[in-house]
Amino acid sequence: MSRFLRRASSLSSSMLSQLQGPVTGLSETSIQRCNFSTKGRKKSKSQTSDSGEENTSKKDLALKVAMDQITASFGEGSIMWHGRSISPRQTAVVSTGSFSLDIALGIGGLPKGRVVEIYGPEASGKTTLALHVIAEAQKQGGYCVFVDAEHALDPALVKAIGVDSEKLLISQPDSGEQALSLVDTLIRSGSVDVVVVDSVAALVPKGELDGEMGDAHMAMQARLMSQALRKLTHSLSLAQTILIFTNQVRSKLSTFGGFGGPSEVTCGGNALKFYSSVRLNIKRTGLVKKGDETTGSQVVVKIVKNKHAPPFKTAEFELEFGKGICRGAELIDLGCKHKFITKAVPYLYMNDQTFHGKDSLKRYLSESKTAREELAKKLRDKLINAKPDNEKETNVDQESETAANQA
């Protein structure tokens, strides 16, 4: 019996040893597999960073190849980095001849290389304002063109405003196609600074001229303007020419927008609204009288569209009949507003001098060029050349940092 028990115990021990052998083998292999998986994970993180760098380098290389291909196909400057270009940061401008309008525009005048639209009712001063822009451009030594599509330019007004008529090119075209074609030719020459087309409503297409009176010509003028502006935009940017269109307004009988919609529309379709960088709406608000005689009109200009500064600002000034913008009255109004001139009705005080009424101060400014330029400089320094608050804060911070570093 004892022998039987010994044999049974030996058999059980041998069976246990056989069973434990594969279990330990399995555990070792599983441990090895876990180690391999963790090593694979560690390698994958490093591989992702390396692959990210490789992808960025491949993108940079592909972009450089594409840019070189575009430059080879279309020429130098066809594509460039915006922040690395040599183009000037500030927009080149030409003054409008009105001090308050230059301030309202935000950049000191009308931008070069852009389309400008001046529209408003009859006898509001559209042509007068355009002639003032020409006079200011001639002061800078530029050549200007006046396309008189209305055939109604007054030579006496041109001379009174200050335009040098001997250096002014003028054209009175027969049709709208002829007018826009010669404008395109002059702008492509790159030698003209300002081109004024007066007005869009008078640009009559050839098809309308050849037809009978009363024939309907749907959207013919709108198509003509749309095609012309598509062609002219690129040439304007290269030549840095200001293209000014004066435009008339028409009453809109039915308004699709319902109550409160626009009651007036401009001629020539909608293309000019989109291509214009600046749109000026000029209206007469009153008359300037001297006794019983009417000597001028009070006008307000609203900046309806402005791509260079915030729009919807207004400027008010006087237009003297046969003379143009009254710069003296404009300076007096701005001087009173910004306290360079003290007003105590009926007296005005400026530079320790007393003037009885606005007319006497206006006469003094027209006679004294030094006083007029001094007042204009004060207003310009305060309104145009003044630094914004953000720039002042950054300058103060930079000065404090430099002082701390020096200490």
Side-chain angles (χ1 to χ4, degrees):
M1 188 71 182
S2 60
R3 288 178 182 175
F4 179 75
L5 292 170
R6 282 196 295 271
R7 284 178 183 177
S9 64
S10 62
L11 285 170
S12 63
S13 63
S14 63
M15 290 175 68
L16 285 169
S17 64
Q18 289 176 359
L19 288 169
Q20 286 175 357
V23 171
T24 55
L26 285 169
S27 62
E28 288 176 359
T29 54
S30 64
I31 291 167
Q32 288 177 357
R33 285 177 183 172
C34 290
N35 289 334
F36 285 140
S37 63
T38 54
K39 286 180 183 177
R41 287 173 190 168
K42 290 178 182 177
K43 285 183 180 178
S44 65
K45 288 180 182 178
S46 62
Q47 284 175 358
T48 52
S49 62
D50 294 339
S51 63
E53 292 177 358
E54 288 177 1
N55 288 334
T56 54
S57 62
K58 286 179 181 178
K59 283 183 179 179
D60 293 339
L61 183 61
L63 181 60
K64 187 177 184 305
V65 170
M67 289 178 68
D68 292 341
Q69 186 178 356
I70 292 169
T71 304
S73 301
F74 302 105
E76 193 71 29
S78 54
I79 187 166
M80 64 188 79
W81 295 102
H82 184 264
R84 305 175 195 173
S85 60
I86 316 173
S87 59
R89 300 291 179 185
Q90 293 183 349
T91 308
V93 297
V94 173
S95 174
T96 59
S98 167
F99 198 88
S100 57
L101 184 55
D102 289 344
I103 294 166
L105 285 166
I107 53 174
L110 298 179
K112 288 187 175 182
R114 301 300 181 101
V115 180
V116 179
E117 182 185 11
I118 304 172
Y119 69 96
E122 73 283 354
S124 56
K126 302 182 292 294
T127 305
T128 303
L129 184 58
L131 288 172
H132 272 283
V133 177
I134 288 176
E136 295 296 326
Q138 285 184 341
K139 289 177 184 177
Q140 298 178 6
Y143 291 101
C144 302
V145 182
F146 192 94
V147 181
D148 185 20
E150 293 182 351
H151 298 257
L153 184 63
D154 184 11
L157 179 64
V158 172
K159 191 173 181 181
I161 286 175
V163 177
D164 188 357
S165 57
E166 294 183 357
K167 294 183 179 179
L168 175 67
L169 291 169
I170 185 169
S171 172
Q172 292 182 331
D174 299 326
S175 63
E177 286 86 352
Q178 181 184 342
L180 295 171
S181 177
L182 68 90
V183 167
D184 185 25
T185 304
L186 288 167
I187 290 171
R188 286 179 185 273
S189 69
S191 57
V192 179
D193 290 69
V194 176
V195 177
V196 175
V197 179
D198 187 24
S199 66
V200 174
L203 297 176
V204 187
K206 282 183 181 178
E208 190 173 340
L209 288 171
D210 296 337
E212 295 293 331
M213 195 71 71
D215 290 348
H217 303 278
M218 287 295 293
M220 190 178 290
Q221 190 184 39
R223 289 198 302 270
L224 175 64
M225 286 296 298
S226 182
Q227 182 187 17
L229 289 167
R230 284 197 300 270
K231 292 181 67 176
L232 290 170
T233 306
H234 178 64
S235 304
L236 281 173
S237 179
L238 293 178
Q240 289 293 292
T241 303
I242 302 175
L243 178 57
I244 301 174
F245 287 99
T246 64
N247 208 346
Q248 301 174 8
V249 292
R250 301 285 186 266
S251 298
K252 194 171 185 179
L253 299 178
S254 61
T255 306
F256 293 103
F259 181 76
S263 59
E264 292 180 342
V265 291
T266 53
C267 303
N270 292 325
L272 187 55
K273 297 178 184 178
F274 291 98
Y275 282 99
S276 297
S277 295
V278 177
R279 296 186 73 220
L280 305 177
N281 184 10
I282 183 168
K283 290 182 179 179
R284 179 192 289 175
T285 57
L287 298 174
V288 179
K289 292 189 176 182
K290 201 170 184 179
D292 295 333
E293 183 185 1
T294 303
T295 59
S297 59
Q298 188 79 24
V299 298
V300 59
V301 179
K302 184 179 181 181
I303 303 169
V304 179
K305 181 180 178 181
N306 191 354
K307 286 189 176 181
H308 299 274
F312 302 111
K313 293 185 178 180
T314 57
E316 295 184 9
F317 50 85
E318 292 181 9
L319 288 179
E320 289 185 317
F321 294 149
K323 294 181 180 179
I325 296 173
C326 183
R327 189 71 178 268
E330 196 175 18
L331 291 175
I332 291 169
D333 293 337
L334 287 171
C336 293
K337 184 179 179 181
H338 297 283
K339 299 181 180 179
F340 291 113
I341 298 173
T342 307
K343 190 174 183 180
V345 181
Y347 296 101
L348 296 170
Y349 304 94
M350 187 185 76
N351 296 336
D352 299 330
Q353 296 184 20
T354 305
F355 301 92
H356 187 273
K358 187 176 179 179
D359 291 335
S360 61
L361 180 55
K362 191 191 300 185
R363 190 164 50 252
Y364 170 73
L365 289 175
S366 63
E367 294 172 356
S368 176
K369 185 179 179 180
T370 307
R372 185 173 67 249
E373 290 180 352
E374 183 183 353
L375 180 58
K377 185 178 182 302
K378 288 179 182 178
L379 290 168
R380 192 178 294 109
D381 291 340
K382 184 172 183 179
L383 300 173
I384 297 178
N385 299 331
K387 292 183 179 179
D389 295 336
N390 295 331
E391 292 184 6
K392 290 180 181 178
E393 290 176 1
T394 53
N395 290 337
V396 170
D397 293 338
Q398 289 175 358
E399 289 176 1
S400 60
E401 286 179 4
T402 53
N405 292 330
Q406 289 175 358

